[in-house]
């Protein structure tokens, strides 16, 4: 504000820095989820996501080959090979290792440990090992070896594969994704059509009770939809719609109408009077005026509301839970699927993060593509 | 039938039916009922114009009445009747039963906390960011990034913040940012933030503040831009410092907008359900009214008390409703 008076503010660096800090603070949680969705379960569980770009020291539990792979060399029995190959794990340089879970860093590479059964085992940095025993080794599984290795940063798409394409119905978001889409699109388009006609009547037609109706719409804008749950569910069950897509489309249409009418009426009332009067003089019917003049001119307001309604129906949980999702769970939407994952898979951050990111990706794309209309709609809806 | 096809059909039928209704009802009105010809042409045109607004309004009014106005009345009725006795009128019994439940008072207390903290913090942060970014060359990018959480669902935000609040047992490395930060600043052991009595409410509120700040910022930023330059310039000439300009010149001019932002966020807060439901489900002393109502309606299946709590939410909203209607009517004049 100082530069109005002709000098640049000496505080401008402070302003820049504080905005950077605030923006970073605001982005930090979302970035965390995004980064986590590309990490394996092990990585998420052992290090914070902010360490993802760096090589991390990780404790791995590996096994030597099973005793049936042993070979006799002179008077000793030997199992040899590579620890990483045995388990199919990405090789990484080992720093220390151990054979007891109580002391995983007991030995340096190249040292030799002796197990209780008298086997002598040596592990090298690259994971090569050699286990010797004076007698034939027994058992079905190999000796456990705990290694501490520096694992390079690694990102994976496996989480997305599991969440989007796996057959496991509790993890799969693919069906929920299409269900959400099925709910969202009709629930966005239908209220626009219904509201546009009403908004035109309220903006450009003169009739007794018009002011009262506008007040009615403004009042309904703030009625919490919580009140509507039980009466409407009873109504839907009573007239045979039951729980299902039709019910949720109708409910979203009803709940979205006040904002739609309010936004569109405010916008249409601001259109130039001349155009409409000229069209009337030229003999256009009200229906023609509406479809040929008002609708094309109201495009920005229509877009604003469409974005609101899309975001709101896509992100909705309550209405879907009450009007759509029945006991079979066939019609679950993504928000509900995520809440269920929070219950069943509360600790599996790789699944949760990926599922959540799949569900917020579409609104984010819409948000960044259509932000202009969203802001315009917000301003029209509240500054007045 | 596949739901996607069903959805497509619904769009076609829904939109088609709407357009057909509007087109044909207008045709019937103009051609059949009141044709604009013959001996009474003038009178007929006037009559048609009196009926037409109601043709345009009918579908919307019908849906509004059925889906919003009727439920208010019906919920009020349900809250005064008993479900077990076949809908007998029982006066305020549901309300007194509700008032005896400690969970209800916990929800009321928490809701009051939410009502104070969330709108206040969101508005303050929004105003701060709006003012700071006002003359920044990259201000629009900054604003767009802070606005972004608006697009994220409450459920998605809950997952995001649960990761931030995650706690691992003492000794192992923390993967939740808050605990990592807490230990880094010298905390002794990791905290399970969401079960911390009383304070866990604030950790839930942080999620909504994070979402709503962007909204407050966008509106307030537009209001700040709308302030006439002359008033600020005059203050500078008179030797006002930046703080004085902000609090004495700008704030009073955008005060009505601040009120609008505050009430809008208040409405969001009163309806907040998803965040509490997904993060704690009202356990550990974090219950709020909307989630309490959902519990009563769909878990305990007690429609009487559930409706009573819905009416409590409605009562809390009513002052804002009246204020909005009064404002709208003043504007129309």
């Amino acid at each position: 504000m100082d530069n109005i008076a002709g000098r640049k503010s000496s505080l401008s660096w402070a302003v820049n820095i504080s905005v950077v800090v605030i923006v970073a603070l605001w982005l930090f949680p979302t970035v965390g989820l995004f980064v986590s969705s590309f990490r394996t379960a092990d990585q998420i569980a052992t290090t914070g996501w902010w360490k993802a770009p760096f090589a991390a020291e990780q404790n791995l539990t590996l096994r030597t080959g099973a005793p049936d792979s042993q070979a006799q060399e002179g008077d000793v029995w030997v199992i040899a090979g590579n620890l990483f190959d045995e388990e199919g794990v990405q090789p990484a340089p080992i720093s220390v290792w151990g054979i007891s879970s109580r002391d995983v860093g007991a030995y340096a590479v190249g040292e030799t440990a002796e197990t209780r059964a008298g086997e002598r085992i040596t592990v090298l940095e690259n994971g090569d090992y050699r286990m010797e025993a004076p007698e034939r080794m027994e058992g079905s599984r190999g000796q456990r070896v705990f290694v501490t290795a520096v694992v390079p940063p690694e990102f994976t798409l496996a989480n997305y594969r599991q969440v989007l394409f796996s057959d496991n119905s509790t993890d799969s978001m693919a069906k929920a994704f299409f269900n959400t889409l099925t709910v969202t699109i009709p629930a966005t388009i239908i209220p626009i059509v219904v509201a546009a006609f009403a908004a035109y009547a309220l903006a450009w037609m003169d009739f007794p009770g018009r002011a009262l109706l506008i007040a009615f719409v403004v009042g309904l804008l703030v009625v919490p939809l919580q009140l509507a749950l039980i009466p409407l569910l009873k109504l839907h069950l009573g007239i045979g719609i039951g729980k299902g897509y039709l019910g949720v489309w109708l409910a979203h249409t009803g709940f979205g109408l006040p904002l739609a009418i309010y936004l569109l009426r405010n916008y249409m009332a601001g259109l130039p009077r001349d155009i409409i009067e000229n069209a009337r003089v030229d003999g256009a019917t009200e229906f023609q005026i509406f479809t040929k003049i008002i609708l094309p001119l109201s495009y920005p307001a229509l877009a604003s509301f469409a974005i609101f309604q899309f975001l709101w129906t896509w992100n909705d949980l309550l209405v879907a839970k009450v009007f759509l999702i029945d006991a079979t769970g066939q019609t679950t939407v993504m928000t509900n699927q995520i809440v269920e994952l929070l219950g069943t898979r509360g600790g599996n951050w790789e699944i949760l993060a990926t599922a959540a990111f799949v569900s917020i990706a579409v609104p984010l794309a819409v948000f960044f593509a259509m932000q202009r209309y969203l802001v315009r709609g917000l301003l029209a809806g509240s500054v007045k | 039938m596949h739901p996607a096809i069903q959805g497509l059909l619904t769009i076609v039928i829904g939109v088609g039916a709407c357009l057909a209704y509007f087109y044909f009802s207008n045709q019937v009105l103009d051609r059949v009922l009141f044709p604009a010809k013959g001996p009474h042409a003038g009178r007929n045109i006037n009559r048609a114009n009196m009926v037409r607004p109601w043709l345009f309004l009918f579908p919307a009014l019908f849906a509004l009445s059925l889906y919003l106005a009727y439920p208010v009345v019906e919920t009020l009725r349900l809250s005064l009747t008993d479900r077990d006795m076949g809908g007998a009128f029982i006066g305020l019994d549901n309300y007194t039963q509700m008032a005896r439940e400690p969970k209800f008072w916990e929800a009321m207390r928490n809701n009051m906390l939410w009502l104070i903290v969330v709108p206040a913090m969101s508005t303050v942060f929004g105003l701060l960011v709006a003012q700071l970014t006002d003359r920044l060359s990259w201000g629009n990018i900054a604003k767009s990034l802070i606005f972004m959480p608006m697009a994220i669902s409450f459920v998605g935000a809950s997952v995001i913040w649960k990761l931030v609040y995650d706690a691992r047992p003492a000794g192992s490395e923390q993967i939740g940012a808050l605990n990592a930060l807490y230990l880094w600043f010298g905390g002794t052991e990791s905290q399970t933030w969401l079960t911390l009595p009383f304070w866990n409410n604030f950790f839930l509120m942080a999620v909504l503040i994070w979402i709503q700040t962007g909204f407050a910022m966008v509106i307030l930023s537009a209001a700040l831009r709308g302030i006439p330059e002359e008033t600020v310039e005059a203050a500078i000439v008179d030797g006002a410092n930046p703080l004085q300009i902000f609090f004495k010149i700008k704030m009073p001019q955008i005060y009505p907008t601040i009120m609008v932002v505050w009430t809008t966020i208040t409405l969001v807060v009163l309806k907040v359900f998803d965040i509490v439901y997904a993060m704690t489900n009202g356990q550990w002393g974090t219950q709020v009214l909307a989630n309490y109502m959902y519990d009563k309606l769909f878990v305990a299946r007690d429609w009487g008390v559930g409706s009573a709590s819905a009416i409590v939410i409605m009562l809390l909203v009513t002052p804002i409703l009246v204020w909005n209607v009064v404002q709208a009517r003043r504007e129309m004049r």
Side-chain angles (χ1 to χ4, degrees), chain B residues 46-76:
Chain B
N46 281 342
R47 284 194 179 164
N49 283 343
M50 274 172 63
V51 176
R52 198 181 329 273
W54 301 101
L55 287 184
F56 275 62
L57 281 167
F58 172 74
L61 280 185
F62 179 75
L64 282 178
S65 312
L66 188 63
Y67 276 82
L68 285 166
Y70 153 76
V72 175
V73 181
E74 174 70 5
T75 303
L76 189 63

mmCIF file of all heavy atoms in Angstrom, chain B residues 46-76:
data_model
loop_
_atom_site.group_PDB
_atom_site.id
_atom_site.type_symbol
_atom_site.label_atom_id
_atom_site.label_comp_id
_atom_site.label_asym_id
_atom_site.label_seq_id
_atom_site.Cartn_x
_atom_site.Cartn_y
_atom_site.Cartn_z
ATOM 1 N N ASN B 46 -53.093 -10.591 -21.883
ATOM 2 C CA ASN B 46 -52.854 -10.222 -20.489
ATOM 3 C C ASN B 46 -52.981 -11.421 -19.567
ATOM 4 O O ASN B 46 -52.182 -11.615 -18.663
ATOM 5 C CB ASN B 46 -53.841 -9.136 -20.059
ATOM 6 C CG ASN B 46 -53.391 -7.784 -20.588
ATOM 7 O OD1 ASN B 46 -52.223 -7.625 -20.950
ATOM 8 N ND2 ASN B 46 -54.323 -6.845 -20.654
ATOM 9 N N ARG B 47 -54.026 -12.212 -19.823
ATOM 10 C CA ARG B 47 -54.222 -13.374 -18.944
ATOM 11 C C ARG B 47 -53.076 -14.367 -19.088
ATOM 12 O O ARG B 47 -52.594 -14.910 -18.094
ATOM 13 C CB ARG B 47 -55.536 -14.062 -19.290
ATOM 14 C CG ARG B 47 -56.724 -13.290 -18.763
ATOM 15 C CD ARG B 47 -57.961 -14.137 -18.815
ATOM 16 N NE ARG B 47 -59.083 -13.392 -18.298
ATOM 17 C CZ ARG B 47 -60.352 -13.750 -18.485
ATOM 18 N NH1 ARG B 47 -60.609 -14.849 -19.192
ATOM 19 N NH2 ARG B 47 -61.318 -13.049 -17.973
ATOM 20 N N ALA B 48 -52.659 -14.594 -20.354
ATOM 21 C CA ALA B 48 -51.548 -15.531 -20.573
ATOM 22 C C ALA B 48 -50.313 -15.055 -19.826
ATOM 23 O O ALA B 48 -49.608 -15.848 -19.195
ATOM 24 C CB ALA B 48 -51.241 -15.657 -22.065
ATOM 25 N N ASN B 49 -50.070 -13.735 -19.850
ATOM 26 C CA ASN B 49 -48.884 -13.223 -19.163
ATOM 27 C C ASN B 49 -48.989 -13.314 -17.647
ATOM 28 O O ASN B 49 -47.985 -13.291 -16.951
ATOM 29 C CB ASN B 49 -48.621 -11.781 -19.588
ATOM 30 C CG ASN B 49 -47.993 -11.734 -20.972
ATOM 31 O OD1 ASN B 49 -47.483 -12.764 -21.448
ATOM 32 N ND2 ASN B 49 -48.052 -10.582 -21.608
ATOM 33 N N MET B 50 -50.232 -13.381 -17.155
ATOM 34 C CA MET B 50 -50.381 -13.560 -15.715
ATOM 35 C C MET B 50 -50.087 -14.999 -15.310
ATOM 36 O O MET B 50 -49.582 -15.264 -14.232
ATOM 37 C CB MET B 50 -51.797 -13.191 -15.276
ATOM 38 C CG MET B 50 -51.947 -11.714 -14.986
ATOM 39 S SD MET B 50 -53.658 -11.295 -14.694
ATOM 40 C CE MET B 50 -53.994 -12.248 -13.225
ATOM 41 N N VAL B 51 -50.408 -15.949 -16.175
ATOM 42 C CA VAL B 51 -50.219 -17.357 -15.832
ATOM 43 C C VAL B 51 -48.779 -17.795 -16.070
ATOM 44 O O VAL B 51 -48.229 -18.591 -15.318
ATOM 45 C CB VAL B 51 -51.190 -18.235 -16.652
ATOM 46 C CG1 VAL B 51 -50.939 -19.710 -16.371
ATOM 47 C CG2 VAL B 51 -52.615 -17.861 -16.341
ATOM 48 N N ARG B 52 -48.154 -17.215 -17.127
ATOM 49 C CA ARG B 52 -46.860 -17.738 -17.570
ATOM 50 C C ARG B 52 -45.781 -17.825 -16.480
ATOM 51 O O ARG B 52 -45.106 -18.852 -16.384
ATOM 52 C CB ARG B 52 -46.343 -16.931 -18.761
ATOM 53 C CG ARG B 52 -45.273 -17.676 -19.522
ATOM 54 C CD ARG B 52 -44.716 -16.900 -20.686
ATOM 55 N NE ARG B 52 -45.657 -16.006 -21.296
ATOM 56 C CZ ARG B 52 -46.509 -16.342 -22.257
ATOM 57 N NH1 ARG B 52 -46.494 -17.576 -22.721
ATOM 58 N NH2 ARG B 52 -47.340 -15.473 -22.765
ATOM 59 N N PRO B 53 -45.611 -16.790 -15.637
ATOM 60 C CA PRO B 53 -44.557 -16.917 -14.622
ATOM 61 C C PRO B 53 -44.700 -18.195 -13.810
ATOM 62 O O PRO B 53 -43.705 -18.820 -13.457
ATOM 63 C CB PRO B 53 -44.770 -15.685 -13.743
ATOM 64 C CG PRO B 53 -45.447 -14.710 -14.611
ATOM 65 C CD PRO B 53 -46.281 -15.484 -15.576
ATOM 66 N N TRP B 54 -45.926 -18.574 -13.537
ATOM 67 C CA TRP B 54 -46.125 -19.757 -12.689
ATOM 68 C C TRP B 54 -45.783 -21.033 -13.445
ATOM 69 O O TRP B 54 -45.371 -22.004 -12.826
ATOM 70 C CB TRP B 54 -47.549 -19.786 -12.150
ATOM 71 C CG TRP B 54 -47.819 -18.542 -11.368
ATOM 72 C CD1 TRP B 54 -48.501 -17.445 -11.776
ATOM 73 C CD2 TRP B 54 -47.323 -18.246 -10.053
ATOM 74 N NE1 TRP B 54 -48.475 -16.471 -10.805
ATOM 75 C CE2 TRP B 54 -47.755 -16.945 -9.730
ATOM 76 C CE3 TRP B 54 -46.535 -18.940 -9.126
ATOM 77 C CZ2 TRP B 54 -47.448 -16.331 -8.531
ATOM 78 C CZ3 TRP B 54 -46.240 -18.339 -7.920
ATOM 79 C CH2 TRP B 54 -46.688 -17.042 -7.632
ATOM 80 N N LEU B 55 -45.932 -21.017 -14.777
ATOM 81 C CA LEU B 55 -45.479 -22.166 -15.569
ATOM 82 C C LEU B 55 -43.974 -22.315 -15.442
ATOM 83 O O LEU B 55 -43.446 -23.404 -15.243
ATOM 84 C CB LEU B 55 -45.824 -21.964 -17.048
ATOM 85 C CG LEU B 55 -47.272 -22.095 -17.469
ATOM 86 C CD1 LEU B 55 -47.374 -21.952 -18.977
ATOM 87 C CD2 LEU B 55 -47.813 -23.437 -17.034
ATOM 88 N N PHE B 56 -43.261 -21.178 -15.549
ATOM 89 C CA PHE B 56 -41.806 -21.210 -15.449
ATOM 90 C C PHE B 56 -41.360 -21.624 -14.052
ATOM 91 O O PHE B 56 -40.353 -22.279 -13.872
ATOM 92 C CB PHE B 56 -41.227 -19.822 -15.788
ATOM 93 C CG PHE B 56 -41.019 -19.594 -17.254
ATOM 94 C CD1 PHE B 56 -42.106 -19.624 -18.122
ATOM 95 C CD2 PHE B 56 -39.759 -19.349 -17.760
ATOM 96 C CE1 PHE B 56 -41.924 -19.411 -19.479
ATOM 97 C CE2 PHE B 56 -39.565 -19.141 -19.120
ATOM 98 C CZ PHE B 56 -40.648 -19.179 -19.976
ATOM 99 N N LEU B 57 -42.113 -21.205 -13.060
ATOM 100 C CA LEU B 57 -41.684 -21.423 -11.680
ATOM 101 C C LEU B 57 -42.077 -22.787 -11.142
ATOM 102 O O LEU B 57 -41.447 -23.292 -10.214
ATOM 103 C CB LEU B 57 -42.300 -20.348 -10.774
ATOM 104 C CG LEU B 57 -41.626 -18.995 -10.798
ATOM 105 C CD1 LEU B 57 -42.523 -17.961 -10.128
ATOM 106 C CD2 LEU B 57 -40.291 -19.057 -10.070
ATOM 107 N N PHE B 58 -43.118 -23.394 -11.734
ATOM 108 C CA PHE B 58 -43.717 -24.551 -11.087
ATOM 109 C C PHE B 58 -42.743 -25.672 -10.723
ATOM 110 O O PHE B 58 -42.707 -26.084 -9.551
ATOM 111 C CB PHE B 58 -44.876 -25.101 -11.928
ATOM 112 C CG PHE B 58 -45.398 -26.396 -11.411
ATOM 113 C CD1 PHE B 58 -46.169 -26.418 -10.256
ATOM 114 C CD2 PHE B 58 -45.097 -27.597 -12.029
ATOM 115 C CE1 PHE B 58 -46.626 -27.600 -9.737
ATOM 116 C CE2 PHE B 58 -45.543 -28.789 -11.507
ATOM 117 C CZ PHE B 58 -46.319 -28.795 -10.360
ATOM 118 N N PRO B 59 -41.917 -26.189 -11.671
ATOM 119 C CA PRO B 59 -41.049 -27.313 -11.283
ATOM 120 C C PRO B 59 -40.119 -26.952 -10.120
ATOM 121 O O PRO B 59 -39.971 -27.725 -9.183
ATOM 122 C CB PRO B 59 -40.236 -27.599 -12.549
ATOM 123 C CG PRO B 59 -40.988 -26.973 -13.645
ATOM 124 C CD PRO B 59 -41.710 -25.807 -13.067
ATOM 125 N N ALA B 60 -39.527 -25.753 -10.183
ATOM 126 C CA ALA B 60 -38.599 -25.358 -9.129
ATOM 127 C C ALA B 60 -39.323 -25.207 -7.799
ATOM 128 O O ALA B 60 -38.854 -25.690 -6.764
ATOM 129 C CB ALA B 60 -37.901 -24.050 -9.510
ATOM 130 N N LEU B 61 -40.473 -24.557 -7.824
ATOM 131 C CA LEU B 61 -41.208 -24.356 -6.573
ATOM 132 C C LEU B 61 -41.643 -25.684 -5.983
ATOM 133 O O LEU B 61 -41.567 -25.905 -4.778
ATOM 134 C CB LEU B 61 -42.444 -23.484 -6.823
ATOM 135 C CG LEU B 61 -42.175 -22.003 -6.913
ATOM 136 C CD1 LEU B 61 -43.485 -21.245 -7.035
ATOM 137 C CD2 LEU B 61 -41.396 -21.526 -5.706
ATOM 138 N N PHE B 62 -42.078 -26.586 -6.871
ATOM 139 C CA PHE B 62 -42.512 -27.891 -6.407
ATOM 140 C C PHE B 62 -41.347 -28.609 -5.723
ATOM 141 O O PHE B 62 -41.479 -29.102 -4.592
ATOM 142 C CB PHE B 62 -43.032 -28.712 -7.591
ATOM 143 C CG PHE B 62 -43.470 -30.084 -7.217
ATOM 144 C CD1 PHE B 62 -44.679 -30.271 -6.552
ATOM 145 C CD2 PHE B 62 -42.687 -31.187 -7.505
ATOM 146 C CE1 PHE B 62 -45.088 -31.540 -6.186
ATOM 147 C CE2 PHE B 62 -43.082 -32.465 -7.140
ATOM 148 C CZ PHE B 62 -44.301 -32.637 -6.480
ATOM 149 N N ALA B 63 -40.187 -28.623 -6.380
ATOM 150 C CA ALA B 63 -39.031 -29.320 -5.807
ATOM 151 C C ALA B 63 -38.580 -28.655 -4.507
ATOM 152 O O ALA B 63 -38.273 -29.333 -3.524
ATOM 153 C CB ALA B 63 -37.876 -29.336 -6.815
ATOM 154 N N LEU B 64 -38.570 -27.304 -4.496
ATOM 155 C CA LEU B 64 -38.141 -26.606 -3.278
ATOM 156 C C LEU B 64 -39.071 -26.915 -2.113
ATOM 157 O O LEU B 64 -38.630 -27.187 -0.994
ATOM 158 C CB LEU B 64 -38.124 -25.096 -3.518
ATOM 159 C CG LEU B 64 -36.946 -24.524 -4.278
ATOM 160 C CD1 LEU B 64 -37.124 -23.027 -4.451
ATOM 161 C CD2 LEU B 64 -35.655 -24.806 -3.545
ATOM 162 N N SER B 65 -40.365 -26.887 -2.401
ATOM 163 C CA SER B 65 -41.316 -27.124 -1.318
ATOM 164 C C SER B 65 -41.185 -28.546 -0.805
ATOM 165 O O SER B 65 -41.174 -28.790 0.392
ATOM 166 C CB SER B 65 -42.745 -26.892 -1.799
ATOM 167 O OG SER B 65 -42.812 -25.677 -2.477
ATOM 168 N N LEU B 66 -41.075 -29.492 -1.736
ATOM 169 C CA LEU B 66 -41.044 -30.890 -1.333
ATOM 170 C C LEU B 66 -39.729 -31.253 -0.648
ATOM 171 O O LEU B 66 -39.725 -31.992 0.335
ATOM 172 C CB LEU B 66 -41.248 -31.780 -2.563
ATOM 173 C CG LEU B 66 -41.417 -33.263 -2.257
ATOM 174 C CD1 LEU B 66 -42.673 -33.473 -1.438
ATOM 175 C CD2 LEU B 66 -41.493 -34.065 -3.541
ATOM 176 N N TYR B 67 -38.618 -30.723 -1.155
ATOM 177 C CA TYR B 67 -37.323 -31.171 -0.649
ATOM 178 C C TYR B 67 -36.747 -30.291 0.443
ATOM 179 O O TYR B 67 -35.801 -30.684 1.103
ATOM 180 C CB TYR B 67 -36.313 -31.319 -1.806
ATOM 181 C CG TYR B 67 -36.468 -32.658 -2.460
ATOM 182 C CD1 TYR B 67 -37.454 -32.865 -3.407
ATOM 183 C CD2 TYR B 67 -35.689 -33.732 -2.070
ATOM 184 C CE1 TYR B 67 -37.646 -34.103 -3.976
ATOM 185 C CE2 TYR B 67 -35.871 -34.977 -2.630
ATOM 186 C CZ TYR B 67 -36.849 -35.157 -3.586
ATOM 187 O OH TYR B 67 -37.043 -36.401 -4.125
ATOM 188 N N LEU B 68 -37.250 -29.094 0.644
ATOM 189 C CA LEU B 68 -36.693 -28.275 1.714
ATOM 190 C C LEU B 68 -37.739 -27.725 2.668
ATOM 191 O O LEU B 68 -37.553 -27.759 3.880
ATOM 192 C CB LEU B 68 -35.853 -27.133 1.124
ATOM 193 C CG LEU B 68 -34.489 -27.572 0.579
ATOM 194 C CD1 LEU B 68 -33.869 -26.501 -0.282
ATOM 195 C CD2 LEU B 68 -33.539 -27.936 1.712
ATOM 196 N N ALA B 69 -38.852 -27.231 2.147
ATOM 197 C CA ALA B 69 -39.829 -26.604 3.035
ATOM 198 C C ALA B 69 -40.630 -27.661 3.806
ATOM 199 O O ALA B 69 -40.749 -27.592 5.030
ATOM 200 C CB ALA B 69 -40.763 -25.705 2.232
ATOM 201 N N TYR B 70 -41.140 -28.667 3.088
ATOM 202 C CA TYR B 70 -41.912 -29.705 3.755
ATOM 203 C C TYR B 70 -41.106 -30.434 4.825
ATOM 204 O O TYR B 70 -41.603 -30.653 5.936
ATOM 205 C CB TYR B 70 -42.476 -30.673 2.700
ATOM 206 C CG TYR B 70 -42.731 -32.071 3.180
ATOM 207 C CD1 TYR B 70 -43.849 -32.342 3.984
ATOM 208 C CD2 TYR B 70 -41.887 -33.117 2.853
ATOM 209 C CE1 TYR B 70 -44.084 -33.632 4.442
ATOM 210 C CE2 TYR B 70 -42.116 -34.399 3.301
ATOM 211 C CZ TYR B 70 -43.210 -34.659 4.095
ATOM 212 O OH TYR B 70 -43.436 -35.919 4.548
ATOM 213 N N PRO B 71 -39.839 -30.801 4.570
ATOM 214 C CA PRO B 71 -39.080 -31.494 5.613
ATOM 215 C C PRO B 71 -38.942 -30.706 6.908
ATOM 216 O O PRO B 71 -38.914 -31.287 7.986
ATOM 217 C CB PRO B 71 -37.701 -31.706 4.973
ATOM 218 C CG PRO B 71 -37.966 -31.742 3.530
ATOM 219 C CD PRO B 71 -39.079 -30.772 3.303
ATOM 220 N N VAL B 72 -38.858 -29.360 6.798
ATOM 221 C CA VAL B 72 -38.745 -28.575 8.031
ATOM 222 C C VAL B 72 -39.969 -28.820 8.904
ATOM 223 O O VAL B 72 -39.858 -29.098 10.109
ATOM 224 C CB VAL B 72 -38.603 -27.073 7.709
ATOM 225 C CG1 VAL B 72 -38.617 -26.251 8.979
ATOM 226 C CG2 VAL B 72 -37.319 -26.812 6.934
ATOM 227 N N VAL B 73 -41.141 -28.758 8.290
ATOM 228 C CA VAL B 73 -42.384 -28.960 9.036
ATOM 229 C C VAL B 73 -42.479 -30.399 9.540
ATOM 230 O O VAL B 73 -42.807 -30.658 10.703
ATOM 231 C CB VAL B 73 -43.599 -28.624 8.135
ATOM 232 C CG1 VAL B 73 -44.890 -28.797 8.916
ATOM 233 C CG2 VAL B 73 -43.460 -27.213 7.602
ATOM 234 N N GLU B 74 -42.147 -31.328 8.640
ATOM 235 C CA GLU B 74 -42.274 -32.743 8.995
ATOM 236 C C GLU B 74 -41.295 -33.119 10.116
ATOM 237 O O GLU B 74 -41.649 -33.869 11.035
ATOM 238 C CB GLU B 74 -42.014 -33.596 7.739
ATOM 239 C CG GLU B 74 -41.967 -35.090 7.959
ATOM 240 C CD GLU B 74 -43.325 -35.684 8.302
ATOM 241 O OE1 GLU B 74 -44.328 -34.942 8.282
ATOM 242 O OE2 GLU B 74 -43.374 -36.893 8.603
ATOM 243 N N THR B 75 -40.073 -32.574 10.057
ATOM 244 C CA THR B 75 -39.104 -32.864 11.120
ATOM 245 C C THR B 75 -39.600 -32.326 12.446
ATOM 246 O O THR B 75 -39.484 -32.982 13.487
ATOM 247 C CB THR B 75 -37.735 -32.251 10.774
ATOM 248 O OG1 THR B 75 -37.314 -32.758 9.515
ATOM 249 C CG2 THR B 75 -36.698 -32.602 11.816
ATOM 250 N N LEU B 76 -40.190 -31.123 12.393
ATOM 251 C CA LEU B 76 -40.751 -30.542 13.615
ATOM 252 C C LEU B 76 -41.824 -31.471 14.179
ATOM 253 O O LEU B 76 -41.873 -31.757 15.378
ATOM 254 C CB LEU B 76 -41.335 -29.161 13.304
ATOM 255 C CG LEU B 76 -41.771 -28.345 14.509
ATOM 256 C CD1 LEU B 76 -40.567 -28.045 15.388
ATOM 257 C CD2 LEU B 76 -42.419 -27.051 14.068
#
